[in-house]
Amino acid sequence: KQITEEEIYRIDHYLGKELVMNLLVLRFANVCFQGVWDRQHVKAVQVIFKEDFGTAGRGGYFDEYGIIRDVLQNHLLQVLALVAMEQPLSFSAEHIRAEKLKVLHACRPLSTDDVVTGQYAGYLDDPSVENKQSRTETFAAAVLHINNPRWAGVPFVLKAGKALTDSKAEVRVQFHAVPGAVSALASCAANELVIRVQPEELIYWKVNNKVPGLHFEVQQQRMDLLYSSKFFERKLPEAYERLLLEVLAADHSHFVSGEELVASWQIFTPALQALHASRRVPEVYPFGSRGPPSADALAHKYGITKFGGGLTPYVKKEVPVAPPAAHSSPMSVAKKRPSPKPSPKLGPATPPRATATTSTPTSATAVTVPPLPEPAILPVHVGAADAPPPLMPKPSEELPSLRPLDLSGA
């Protein structure tokens, strides 16, 4: 009672992560997203947290709470609120908290029919887990529903687990397929916006694109913003580093209010109590797997193939270029040079240097001809805004003649 709300800073370190803080800018500073951020265009939203290791000696703490209380109720729900909230009047703490609170109040309490729990094989073997009959969940997938005009009918998936295939945290906004598409495009995959929070911070937009070539083929490609290459000169501050600085600055923008805390527990408490009362046993799944099979059944219930993305690495390694052959000279180039196009202003184009090649699927042998002298090109005055034109050649000056090309020795 002696501490006021203005003096309390409830730290959720996910609110201090760079990509989470960028959500509001991404949404409200780009008109391309504002127009499609609703139930008419979005099929589902997934907020995912995965770890490829187990409790790692923290079983004594973890066994008292489980993954729902440890991750879903706080970290993932806060990210969900930022994805689903309306635009605030400003980016002040008061206005951001007010819009997040509206979303949490519009979210229906979690139903036990919309949650799957699991426990990885070997969890009970952890020496720090004292209760060898523990029903504590190490995996949970829950579907929440926001009852407002923007999001009614859109499933919001919160998924978290330990001992899974890989470690990452991301938001996946999956869009509807194009309605009324022509038959040639009817099988195209739907667009998807992915915000990777950690590791390898990035944002990518999955779009359909024609594959270059003579045949008509469409593939889904990624348009990306990879932070490590775009902002390589900048050091991304740690979440706690940023949040502690904001405490010193008395800025509550990225901290959880007391009302938000109460609203979040109102969403999860009924399901947690029901799971405890029914003594539901979490489904065992192999260490290093995607989780319990029941999670896929829950995804199919809402028309989703599976929760989360694949394991394909996003950053592709560059293919090394083979060094030139030992017998090649600087003038021996197997790759054809493009022939210059004739220009009415510049006169006849320079004849291409002759290069005869014999190629196989794996190699090419080049036979070169000595270069011809370059003909002089008349300068062209391109406009008054540019530099003054150079002097024109005198009439007595003749352009060098071109000798015939001899390929008899090729």
Side-chain angles (χ1 to χ4, degrees):
K1 294 182 180 180
Q2 297 178 354
I3 301 178
T4 64
E5 180 68 18
E6 290 74 19
E7 296 172 316
I8 299 175
Y9 295 84
R10 299 176 185 86
I11 292 182
D12 185 329
H13 71 283
Y14 263 61
L15 295 179
K17 292 184 178 293
E18 186 67 41
L19 269 294
V20 174
M21 300 181 72
N22 189 47
L23 281 171
L24 298 186
V25 177
L26 185 71
R27 286 190 55 195
F28 302 125
N30 296 287
V31 69
C32 60
F33 295 132
Q34 285 185 340
V36 297
W37 214 262
D38 53 36
R39 60 191 298 270
Q40 283 78 24
H41 300 89
V42 176
K43 178 181 179 179
V45 177
Q46 300 186 44
V47 186
I48 298 171
F49 170 87
K50 300 168 62 179
E51 290 180 337
D52 59 0
F53 54 88
T55 50
R58 296 175 61 246
Y61 158 79
F62 186 85
D63 197 57
E64 296 293 328
Y65 300 97
I67 201 76
I68 295 179
R69 292 180 175 90
D70 192 42
V71 179
L72 268 69
Q73 177 271 333
N74 42 45
H75 303 325
L76 302 193
L77 190 62
Q78 282 291 316
V79 175
L80 179 151
L82 292 173
V83 171
M85 63 181 275
E86 299 294 328
Q87 178 173 299
L89 295 177
S90 71
F91 280 175
S92 67
E94 176 187 1
H95 294 151
I96 292 177
R97 286 176 162 187
E99 295 302 333
K100 286 198 296 179
L101 188 60
K102 290 179 184 179
V103 171
L104 297 178
H105 283 161
C107 190
R108 297 203 301 261
L110 176 62
S111 169
T112 54
D113 295 333
D114 286 334
V115 61
V116 171
T117 59
Q119 185 183 94
Y120 68 84
Y123 170 75
L124 299 178
D125 298 332
D126 188 335
S128 60
V129 178
E130 298 180 358
N131 181 10
K132 299 307 178 181
Q133 304 297 323
S134 174
R135 291 185 172 89
T136 299
E137 76 284 352
T138 62
F139 173 96
V143 179
L144 297 178
H145 304 273
I146 300 175
N147 188 27
N148 65 15
R150 181 184 291 271
W151 297 116
V154 177
F156 280 77
V157 180
L158 304 183
K159 171 189 169 182
K162 293 181 174 293
L164 299 179
T165 52
D166 56 341
S167 295
K168 64 182 174 183
E170 63 186 11
V171 179
R172 308 184 75 95
V173 182
Q174 298 172 317
F175 293 85
H176 290 293
V178 177
V182 298
S183 59
L185 303 177
S187 61
C188 290
N191 300 131
E192 187 174 20
L193 177 67
V194 180
I195 301 103
R196 177 78 51 77
V197 177
Q198 65 181 29
E200 191 183 62
E201 296 87 352
L202 63 91
I203 301 170
Y204 63 87
W205 177 243
K206 298 170 71 173
V207 298
N208 294 302
N209 184 71
K210 179 186 175 299
V211 178
L214 298 178
H215 300 284
F216 184 82
E217 181 185 357
V218 178
Q219 287 184 357
Q220 194 169 68
Q221 304 292 333
R222 294 177 174 181
M223 302 169 58
D224 76 282
L225 171 59
L226 182 61
Y227 274 51
S228 61
S229 60
K230 187 65 176 178
F231 304 109
F232 63 92
E233 295 181 349
R234 293 178 177 268
K235 176 185 178 297
L236 298 183
E238 296 293 334
Y240 283 108
E241 175 186 358
R242 187 196 308 272
L243 293 176
L244 290 176
L245 287 174
E246 293 189 357
V247 170
L248 298 177
D251 184 359
H252 287 80
S253 301
H254 302 105
F255 295 88
V256 182
S257 68
E259 292 178 301
E260 290 177 69
L261 191 62
V262 172
S264 64
W265 281 116
Q266 290 175 344
I267 295 171
F268 284 95
T269 297
L272 289 169
Q273 292 176 341
L275 292 173
H276 178 75
S278 64
R279 300 184 63 81
R280 181 195 288 188
V281 178
E283 186 176 350
V284 178
Y285 61 94
F287 194 107
S289 66
R290 293 180 50 245
S294 298
D296 288 339
L298 180 61
H300 299 162
K301 176 181 174 181
Y302 289 98
I304 304 172
T305 304
K306 64 177 182 178
F307 294 144
L311 288 175
T312 304
Y314 178 64
V315 178
K316 297 181 180 180
K317 296 182 179 179
E318 294 185 359
V319 180
V321 179
H327 64 274
S328 299
S329 65
M331 290 301 298
S332 299
V333 181
K335 184 178 179 182
K336 291 184 178 181
R337 299 184 180 182
S339 301
K341 298 180 180 179
S343 171
K345 294 183 179 180
L346 300 181
T350 305
R353 295 185 177 93
T355 303
T357 63
T358 58
S359 61
T360 66
T362 58
S363 64
T365 303
V367 180
T368 61
V369 176
L372 299 177
E374 299 288 349
I377 299 177
L378 298 180
V380 178
H381 183 33
V382 296
D386 300 303
L391 296 176
M392 299 293 290
K394 298 179 181 180
S396 60
E397 296 178 355
E398 296 182 357
L399 297 179
S401 60
L402 301 179
R403 59 185 176 87
L405 183 64
D406 184 9
L407 294 177
S408 59

